Amino acid sequence: MFVDSADIFVSSGNGGAGAVSFLREKFVIQGGPDGGDGGKGGDVIIEVDSNAHTLANFRGKKHYKAQNGANGAPKHCTGKSGENLIIKVPLGTQILDFESGVVLADFSEDTMRIKLLEGGKGGLGNARFKTARNQAPTHAQKGIAGKNLHIRLELKLIADVGLVGYPNVGKSTLISTLSNAKPEIADYEFTTLTPHLGVVEVDELHSFVMADIPGIIEGASEGRGLGLKFLKHIERTKFLLFVLDSARDMDICTQFENLAKELGNFSPTLSGRDFGIVLSKCDVQAPTLDSLRALCAARACKPHFILPISAVTHQGTRELVFALFSAMSAQSALQS
């Protein structure tokens, strides 16, 4: 099951208490203090797991705690440090403070690893408090308590290309044709209820990742339906591919205007994202491109390409792969 959000409580370990002890050995009449320090509590560490693609592992478990440090012992023995708690999350996960919503960490690189909470320090044993005036201290420090935090995990898929379109316009068929993804495909709206990722092979040396985002409807940016749940996955895609249905009752210009509006309302930065347009189901009805080109010119937006395709008959699909790769290569060249 695809799970893209979870809230959990995390706690670092408590520091162990210092020991109160005095040396007791044969022939030693008055042994000095020999209480050892307490061990440090375990830290809470979060790192990327490249094999994970969902937050499903966090379902059914709310509390995660690092190990406490052990107490100090006689003969100056320091308590054992508590084991760190290592939490693994998929690439693209954000860690937010549950109360304030502040982003604490953004795992956008597959080698990222952070220490979220420091374990408590161990208390000092009574041997540490021996002075010239006090040769036999009878007190030691308690360990410092660990820290607690209520966090929210939010997964936003990282992909090179994100498919944007109304429900049942052929996005799932397209990604299954171009890539190794195998989403459910059926002739009714909202077949896709979770995003899917697929790797598209350009040639033997080049490939890119495509994300099939569930269909967007009017009002999605205001939370209608599952709009906000779906739209957040588009934020991390480098290139947007609008999939417009040539055979839909709603004309392609209205489809594009509504989709662009919802993206802009959700995140203004998406309005400036590089994009291309495909007109799907051209085997059912041949589209007219002039009106769409005129609309783009009037909106002062310039798609990298406008292509009619049919994912069923594979018409134009290979041309689309090369057009996408060319657009992203040009994008990378500008950024470098």
Side-chain angles (χ1 to χ4, degrees):
M1 175 180 290
F2 184 84
V3 178
D4 57 5
S5 64
D7 66 274
I8 60 174
F9 296 86
V10 293
S11 304
S12 57
N14 299 327
V20 176
S21 174
F22 295 90
L23 180 62
R24 293 292 182 264
E25 289 184 355
K26 192 175 182 180
F27 307 121
V28 179
I29 298 175
Q30 290 184 329
D34 68 348
D37 300 339
K40 179 182 176 297
D43 304 327
V44 176
I45 295 172
I46 302 182
E47 65 182 20
V48 171
D49 180 3
S50 57
N51 294 318
H53 305 288
T54 173
L55 297 173
N57 289 339
F58 296 94
R59 296 185 69 203
K61 185 176 180 182
K62 281 280 191 179
H63 297 270
Y64 297 80
K65 190 179 188 311
Q67 190 177 43
N68 294 333
N71 294 335
K75 298 184 180 179
H76 301 281
C77 291
T78 300
K80 183 181 179 181
S81 295
E83 291 187 9
N84 295 333
L85 170 65
I86 298 178
I87 298 176
K88 297 189 176 185
V89 297
L91 181 65
T93 301
Q94 285 186 331
I95 311 295
L96 297 89
D97 183 279
F98 188 84
E99 301 298 332
S100 66
V102 173
V103 177
L104 305 176
D106 190 349
F107 291 86
S108 57
E109 299 178 7
D110 55 11
T111 57
M112 281 190 65
R113 174 185 171 100
I114 68 159
K115 182 192 296 184
L116 185 64
L117 295 177
E118 179 88 25
K121 292 183 178 180
L124 300 178
N126 70 329
R128 298 274 194 171
F129 297 97
K130 179 180 178 181
T131 65
R133 292 188 176 184
N134 186 2
Q135 295 290 315
T138 58
H139 67 278
Q141 286 182 336
K142 294 181 179 180
I144 297 176
K147 298 177 181 178
N148 305 301
L149 190 61
H150 188 186
I151 60 174
R152 183 169 186 82
L153 310 179
E154 287 282 353
L155 175 60
K156 297 181 179 181
L157 295 181
I158 295 179
D160 297 305
V161 179
L163 302 182
V164 181
Y166 275 83
N168 200 31
V169 297
K171 298 189 302 298
S172 296
T173 304
L174 178 59
I175 195 172
S176 66
T177 299
L178 299 183
S179 75
N180 56 357
K182 300 300 176 187
E184 180 183 352
I185 299 172
D187 189 21
Y188 55 85
E189 293 196 345
F190 296 109
T191 305
T192 303
L193 294 177
T194 60
H196 292 91
L197 291 178
V199 178
V200 180
E201 301 288 344
V202 181
D203 52 38
E204 293 182 355
L205 299 177
H206 302 96
S207 63
F208 57 86
V209 177
M210 178 177 283
D212 173 19
I213 309 298
I216 297 173
I217 59 176
E218 285 89 352
S221 59
E222 300 171 358
R224 185 182 173 198
L226 295 175
L228 296 178
K229 183 178 176 68
F230 296 158
L231 284 168
K232 69 178 183 181
H233 293 292
I234 302 175
E235 285 186 296
R236 292 188 186 272
T237 55
K238 303 173 184 176
F239 188 89
L240 301 179
L241 182 62
F242 288 87
V243 183
L244 310 180
D245 187 351
S246 302
R248 200 179 186 91
D249 291 337
M250 183 187 301
D251 67 86
I252 56 177
C253 289
T254 303
Q255 290 179 55
F256 177 70
E257 282 190 300
N258 290 343
L259 291 169
K261 176 184 176 183
E262 294 300 331
L263 293 185
N265 288 344
F266 176 72
S267 173
T269 59
L270 288 176
S271 299
R273 191 72 49 88
D274 284 359
F275 72 97
I277 301 174
V278 293
L279 308 176
S280 67
K281 304 179 184 179
C282 67
D283 57 319
V284 177
Q285 182 172 331
T288 303
L289 305 183
D290 292 342
S291 59
L292 187 58
R293 290 195 179 103
L295 174 63
C296 290
R299 290 173 57 94
C301 60
K302 187 176 180 181
H304 280 261
F305 54 80
I306 301 177
L307 293 174
I309 65 164
S310 170
V312 174
T313 64
H314 293 199
Q315 177 183 339
T317 55
R318 198 58 191 161
E319 291 84 348
L320 172 59
V321 170
F322 288 119
L324 286 168
F325 183 68
S326 175
M328 287 184 291
S329 297
Q331 186 182 57
S332 299
L334 286 175
Q335 292 175 349
S336 61

